[in-house]
Amino acid sequence: MNFGFSEEQESFRNELRGFAAKRLAPYYQSDDWAGRLRPELIGELAGVGLTGMRIPPALGGQGADCTTTGIACEEVARADFNACYLVLNAALVSEIVAANATEEQQARWLPPIAAGQVIPSLFLTEPELGSDAARLGLRAERDGQGWRLVGEKTSITLGVYAHAGVVFARTGGPGAQGVSAFFVDLDDRYVTRAAFSDLGNRSIGRASVHFDGLPVGKGDLIGREGGGFVQVMKGFDYSRALIGLMCLAAGQAAVDDALDYARERVAFGQPIGRFQGLSFPLVEYATYLRAARHLCYEALWRKDEGLDHTVQANMAKWWAPKVAAEAAHQALLTFGHVGYSDEVPQGQRLRDIIGLEIGDGTAQIAKLVVARELLGREYAP
Ligand SMILES: Cc1cc2nc3c(=O)[nH]c(=O)nc-3n(C[C@H](O)[C@H](O)[C@H](O)COP(=O)(O)OP(=O)(O)OC[C@H]3O[C@@H](n4cnc5c(N)ncnc54)[C@H](O)[C@@H]3O)c2cc1C
């Protein structure tokens, strides 16, 4: 048993913590107020390798393992939860491409992601369906040797800013077997975007993206035709542990700030930290955050070892964002009236974390996946 990180991972974490404190944390709230992606952010993240974590070094990436990618997500999200979506999206999309695309395709698509020249998004959800994604309806209509994409994707993180992405579309009949995955350039002549007005994640945003006949060729198909779900999405759920760490880091930052405040704020002649009614809930959340973090790292470690990690990753997906949101809520209350204002980022952390109780699959869907593993598929269809 070893609960430690390697020396290399520890020094990566330390370096990243310094970068994030200086270059990310100061903008967490102001970017939210501005409600837009700060143009220089992607370049800054790319400059320290954060957009190429899961991209091979030969293609300009870091070639990092999943555990180290988890460290990156924690450190970035601790300082600026929303900046971490750029790291997460790049890791998700490049993982799909690296695992399923040909060498020629990888050489075409991955270096610009690593360099921060291309912001990628993942296009799965549609207005009529999210959880039940295998029923998706965006059409890939035959057009000569290729296809044209017709239909709407919605709730797409970074959808306003993305240059490219993995789009799931129906090339065949009903069900999962009729779905293919394409890597597409979002040519604005064939794509219309509409930004959401959201509770959180305001600096990176979500959007509805309408595909008005965007042409795609055989060379844009990832894996085989009809393999979009069965092939491309297989083994992909480790990302749920990255999302867990992202949320836990923001929850931990909220609790850490609350502990600092509890040492200083005085009520009834003593620091409020001396009231166990105040300190014990913080202790409880610090405990839950730590336990959920172990679960996330176990999932990532298992993926790195080539072991099955579906149960751990999906346990992490339902539990970590929930614990993190509850911890952020408790931390907000610790600040009294100040916690409810923009003077501190507690309220924003809570708003931002809640998004990932839904994004990438809700708690119910993650529990359904775990139930299939624990009970058997016939009991959790
Ligand atoms: C912050 C954020 C970021 C997102 N980013 C992206 C993105 O980048 N790309 C993308 O494609 N999508 C994205 N999404 C969409 C997200 O993946 C979907 O919202 C999610 O999968 C749920 O789908 P839905 O909203 O259609 O809810 P529905 O599927 O309509 O579900 C509604 C409710 O019913 C519950 N439910 C559904 N089926 C069951 C069942 N069998 N048992 C019990 N309960 C059930 C759900 O848990 C939910 O509570 C994002 C969403 C958010 C909030």
Side-chain angles (χ1 to χ4, degrees), residues 85 89 121-132 153-158 198 201 206 352 354-356 358-365 368 381:
Y85 274 101
N89 265 26
S121 280
L122 195 83
F123 297 80
L124 183 59
T125 304
E126 298 181 0
E128 300 303 319
L129 52 99
S131 307
D132 190 10
K153 292 290 180 184
T154 197
S155 186
I156 306 304
T157 296
L158 284 158
D198 272 347
N201 306 153
R206 284 185 304 155
D352 287 344
I354 287 172
L356 283 177
I358 304 165
D360 197 62
T362 62
Q364 285 95 333
I365 296 309
L368 194 62

Side-chain angles (χ1 to χ4, degrees), residues 76-264:
V76 172
R78 189 183 162 76
D80 180 347
F81 185 83
N82 295 320
C84 196
Y85 274 101
L86 290 160
V87 181
L88 182 74
N89 265 26
L92 295 188
V93 169
S94 46
E95 178 89 17
I96 289 179
V97 169
N100 296 286
T102 64
E103 275 185 24
E104 181 276 319
Q105 288 175 320
Q106 293 186 37
R108 197 154 34 102
W109 298 332
L110 294 181
I113 295 178
Q117 292 153 353
V118 161
I119 295 176
S121 280
L122 195 83
F123 297 80
L124 183 59
T125 304
E126 298 181 0
E128 300 303 319
L129 52 99
S131 307
D132 190 10
R135 207 165 45 85
L136 66 83
L138 184 123
R139 300 189 309 281
E141 296 176 350
R142 268 284 172 202
D143 183 30
Q145 292 297 304
W147 298 265
R148 282 184 182 270
L149 300 184
V150 180
E152 185 180 356
K153 292 290 180 184
T154 197
S155 186
I156 306 304
T157 296
L158 284 158
V160 176
Y161 306 101
H163 304 102
V166 174
V167 178
F168 292 89
R170 190 160 296 285
T171 44
Q177 305 287 350
V179 175
S180 300
F182 295 92
F183 189 94
V184 305
D185 282 327
L186 296 173
D187 182 337
D188 279 332
R189 286 174 301 171
Y190 302 98
V191 165
T192 319
R193 315 175 196 223
F196 282 23
S197 169
D198 272 347
L199 182 67
N201 306 153
R202 290 182 181 159
S203 58
I204 48 119
R206 284 185 304 155
S208 150
V209 180
H210 205 282
F211 292 82
D212 309 311
L214 180 77
V216 287
K218 268 206 153 55
D220 302 322
L221 190 61
I222 305 173
R224 64 176 168 76
E225 189 178 335
F229 261 82
V230 187
Q231 177 192 5
V232 172
M233 296 300 264
K234 195 163 174 266
F236 183 57
D237 45 10
Y238 89 98
S239 61
R240 299 191 155 181
L242 295 181
I243 286 172
L245 287 172
M246 202 174 144
C247 294
L248 295 171
Q252 187 64 55
V255 168
D256 289 348
D257 285 358
L259 292 169
D260 285 344
Y261 192 73
R263 286 187 198 97
E264 286 160 19

Side-chain angles (χ1 to χ4, degrees), residues 319-343:
W319 193 36
K322 179 176 159 65
V323 163
E326 288 168 0
H329 183 192
Q330 191 64 45
L332 183 156
L333 299 178
T334 306
F335 278 79
H337 79 93
V338 176
Y340 198 59
S341 77
D342 277 350
E343 207 179 308

